Amino acid sequence: MKLLDLFSGVGGFHKGFTEAGFKFDWVGFSDIDKYANGVYKYNYKEAVELGDIKLIRPERDLPNIINVLAAGFPCVSFSQAGGRKGFKDTRGTLFFEIARILRYYVRAGKPIDCFLLENVKGLLSHDNGRTFAIIYRVLADIGYTVECQLLNTSIVLPQR
């Protein structure tokens, strides 16, 4: 199996999938934080550092097949703390880079089997729900069935 870990931070998704019993023979990760990348590489020595998501070219940088894509795309644009600028903030538009990669694999006839996207509760209500509707529509238009869930993480993390 192959994992593409976008906006990877220190590898929380990778760790979660591994703890759940998934075994990957290739992992690529992308984040712009050099310290997070250092921790990721320390914990997952075989993982391939891909750099800035905007520079990833699937035909050049990624394997022909990806089984799982995980992405905790930047939430600051959708959160109260970040001013809720949404797509008017360039960080808010980074979701479309995920869509670009998903679309590439669909067009190549090898759609990514499963993806997991994570963000803040404010994404659902941002711009009266229009932002989430756009994200949902983009994913559906690419050809994916989308399921979403709001989770209170306070049972496992010191935040809600």
Side-chain angles (χ1 to χ4, degrees), residues 97-118:
E97 295 295 328
I98 299 166
R100 174 179 61 84
I101 292 169
L102 289 168
R103 192 175 293 109
Y104 168 83
Y105 281 95
V106 167
R107 287 180 178 160
K110 300 173 184 174
I112 295 174
D113 299 325
C114 171
F115 64 85
L116 174 66
L117 306 181
E118 181 272 336

Side-chain angles (χ1 to χ4, degrees), residues 77-78 83-93 126 131:
S77 304
F78 312 110
R84 297 181 57 86
K85 294 177 185 168
F87 295 143
K88 293 178 182 143
D89 179 336
T90 56
R91 294 169 293 187
T93 64
H126 183 268
T131 300

Side-chain angles (χ1 to χ4, degrees), residues 1-132:
M1 288 191 73
K2 295 174 180 16
L3 168 67
L4 179 56
D5 196 354
L6 303 172
F7 309 100
S8 56
V10 298
F13 281 124
H14 189 160
K15 173 82 168 160
F17 279 111
T18 301
E19 291 287 320
F22 287 80
K23 295 186 185 332
F24 299 106
D25 54 28
W26 182 90
V27 174
F29 71 100
S30 169
D31 203 292
I32 60 168
D33 185 301
K34 68 179 181 179
Y35 300 109
N37 288 339
V39 172
Y40 200 111
K41 278 301 280 185
Y42 179 82
N43 288 327
Y44 304 103
K45 293 174 182 28
E46 301 301 317
V48 176
E49 187 173 349
L50 299 166
D52 186 335
I53 190 173
K54 294 180 300 224
L55 303 177
I56 294 173
R57 296 295 167 255
E59 67 282 359
R60 177 191 70 198
D61 302 322
L62 302 176
N64 290 333
I65 295 174
I66 299 286
N67 305 99
V68 179
L69 180 150
F73 61 105
C75 63
V76 68
S77 304
F78 312 110
S79 70
Q80 295 290 351
R84 297 181 57 86
K85 294 177 185 168
F87 295 143
K88 293 178 182 143
D89 179 336
T90 56
R91 294 169 293 187
T93 64
L94 290 171
F95 158 77
F96 297 104
E97 295 295 328
I98 299 166
R100 174 179 61 84
I101 292 169
L102 289 168
R103 192 175 293 109
Y104 168 83
Y105 281 95
V106 167
R107 287 180 178 160
K110 300 173 184 174
I112 295 174
D113 299 325
C114 171
F115 64 85
L116 174 66
L117 306 181
E118 181 272 336
N119 211 282
V120 294
K121 178 171 83 170
L123 179 64
L124 294 174
S125 61
H126 183 268
D127 195 17
N128 293 315
R130 286 188 279 277
T131 300
F132 185 74

